Amino acid sequence: MRAAVLREFDVPLTVEEIAQPTPERGQVLVRIVASGVNPLDTKIQAGKAAHARIQLPAVLGLDVAGVVAAVGAEVTDFAPGDEVYGLCGGVGDLQGSLAEYAAVDARLLARKPNTLSMREAAALPLAAITAWEGLVDRAGVRAGQKVLVHGGAGGVGYVSVQLAQACGAEAYATGGPASMPLIESLGAVPIDYTSTSVEEYVQTYTGGEGFDIIADNVGGSTLDASFAAVRTYYGHVVSALGWGTHSLAPLSFRGATYSGVFTLLPMLTGRGREHHCEILREVAALAEAGAMRPRLDPRTFTLDTVMDAHRLVASGSANGKVVVDIVG
């Protein structure tokens, strides 16, 4: 089969013929139709993501959408011909989705939403699982709460806004001036962080009390701002990018709480993979109900132009999620 292979860090991926995998016990052989490209993929390729524990040579690609070609022993939830999507690999020793086929742990897959194309389905897994683990699993989002999403026009942020709303919460989202129309189109309250201080938007939208939940998808100083904007006593901050050194004093003085999200952990450790499948099933139900939809960059790429896709994502100029078409 053809695959885009990373043989050395910080050098381009090369398209090669490699052996097609055979599904082992508990695995599903997926004929890959589309592969989502994430900022993490570009960081892995550049050798700047030690936490992904990649083993070279490697086939990258986290998000997958495709069709079941065969199943291994003890797989009962899937059959050949099923359309599936998931967060399949591209980290640790797991083969990624930039290939014509992948043997994937069945616990990492779910049936593709009927209302989404393969390209749309391939855009969702990493963003949706990250958003769910933060808002639902860690923060326990519920109806009536005020949820602030930092980076509401980004990949995880865009999904987080929709998830918060689907759970009955009031969604607010920060972004730059160019992001305001997109955030507003989701039905969230847009907050231009370049022209509004933390104190101002906390006062304007919460009467100075703070937001019930803050989902940080930016990190750095934005996470620090989150600690100062969360609701006193009952508020919760969750971040997928809490990797720096931060003062917890503002959070502590408000009596609020914090959680981190590391979406790759089940893939790297083998523990808790079933929960990825559970989340993807819930996300599929939301998509089929019209409550969840990804935003795709209109440009198309193939295995042969995969480095163009990587460069677009790394540049930060993509207009939505970038997806690589693998096979028709």
Side-chain angles (χ1 to χ4, degrees):
M1 68 175 184
R2 297 177 78 233
V5 180
L6 179 67
R7 295 203 169 273
E8 296 180 52
F9 290 120
D10 206 23
V11 300
L13 304 175
T14 57
V15 179
E16 305 175 11
E17 288 282 345
I18 64 174
Q20 179 178 308
T22 299
E24 299 179 354
R25 180 174 60 86
Q27 290 185 330
V28 171
L29 181 66
V30 178
R31 180 175 66 85
I32 300 172
V33 177
S35 170
V37 182
N38 299 280
L40 177 57
D41 294 306
T42 68
K43 292 174 183 175
I44 292 173
Q45 183 265 328
K48 298 178 180 178
H51 62 286
R53 306 178 197 171
I54 199 74
Q55 299 178 21
L56 299 181
V59 175
L60 302 188
L62 294 154
D63 296 314
V64 67
V67 180
V68 175
V71 298
E74 299 182 18
V75 174
T76 58
D77 291 339
F78 302 103
D82 288 343
E83 295 185 337
V84 295
Y85 78 130
L87 197 58
C88 71
V91 297
D93 60 354
L94 301 179
Q95 184 208 303
S97 53
L98 288 175
E100 293 177 329
Y101 290 88
V104 184
D105 189 327
R107 297 174 296 171
L108 295 173
L109 296 171
R111 282 182 173 78
K112 181 185 76 66
N114 293 325
T115 53
L116 300 185
S117 68
M118 285 288 184
R119 286 174 55 80
E120 290 172 323
L124 271 178
L126 179 62
I129 292 172
T130 302
W132 188 283
E133 288 188 343
L135 290 176
V136 178
D137 293 345
R138 306 290 191 276
V141 62
R142 61 183 184 276
Q145 290 184 315
K146 292 187 175 183
V147 176
L148 175 63
V149 177
H150 285 305
V156 178
Y158 190 82
V159 172
S160 296
V161 167
Q162 295 176 82
L163 180 57
Q165 293 170 323
C167 293
E170 299 175 34
Y172 303 76
T174 63
S179 300
M180 297 296 98
L182 177 62
I183 291 171
E184 192 169 14
S185 73
L186 286 173
V189 177
I191 300 173
D192 182 352
Y193 73 90
T194 68
S195 61
T196 309
S197 70
V198 174
E199 293 76 14
E200 287 173 338
Y201 66 68
V202 169
Q203 181 61 43
T204 299
Y205 298 115
T206 73
E209 289 295 315
F211 293 89
D212 297 292
I213 297 171
I214 300 180
D216 164 48
N217 303 300
V218 181
S221 61
T222 301
L223 180 54
D224 292 319
S226 301
F227 293 157
V230 69
R231 184 180 178 188
T232 302
Y233 292 127
Y234 306 105
H236 190 84
V237 176
V238 62
S239 178
L241 291 170
W243 303 341
T245 300
H246 302 271
S247 171
L248 295 177
L251 186 76
S252 298
F253 289 149
R254 299 179 81 87
T257 54
Y258 167 79
S259 293
V261 172
F262 186 30
T263 311
L264 306 183
L265 203 57
M267 302 165 71
L268 294 172
T269 66
R271 296 169 56 189
R273 290 182 178 179
E274 297 87 349
H275 191 46
H276 274 200
C277 176
E278 293 167 354
I279 294 171
L280 291 169
R281 287 173 180 166
E282 295 286 351
V283 170
L286 290 176
E288 290 172 352
M292 178 71 68
R293 197 166 193 93
R295 172 172 165 255
L296 297 186
D297 187 282
R299 285 161 282 197
T300 58
F301 302 91
T302 66
L303 276 179
D304 294 315
T305 58
V306 67
M307 284 310 301
D308 292 333
H310 268 232
R311 282 187 280 269
L312 175 60
V313 172
S315 73
S317 60
N319 189 25
K321 185 68 173 277
V322 173
V323 175
V324 176
D325 299 318
I326 306 298
V327 296

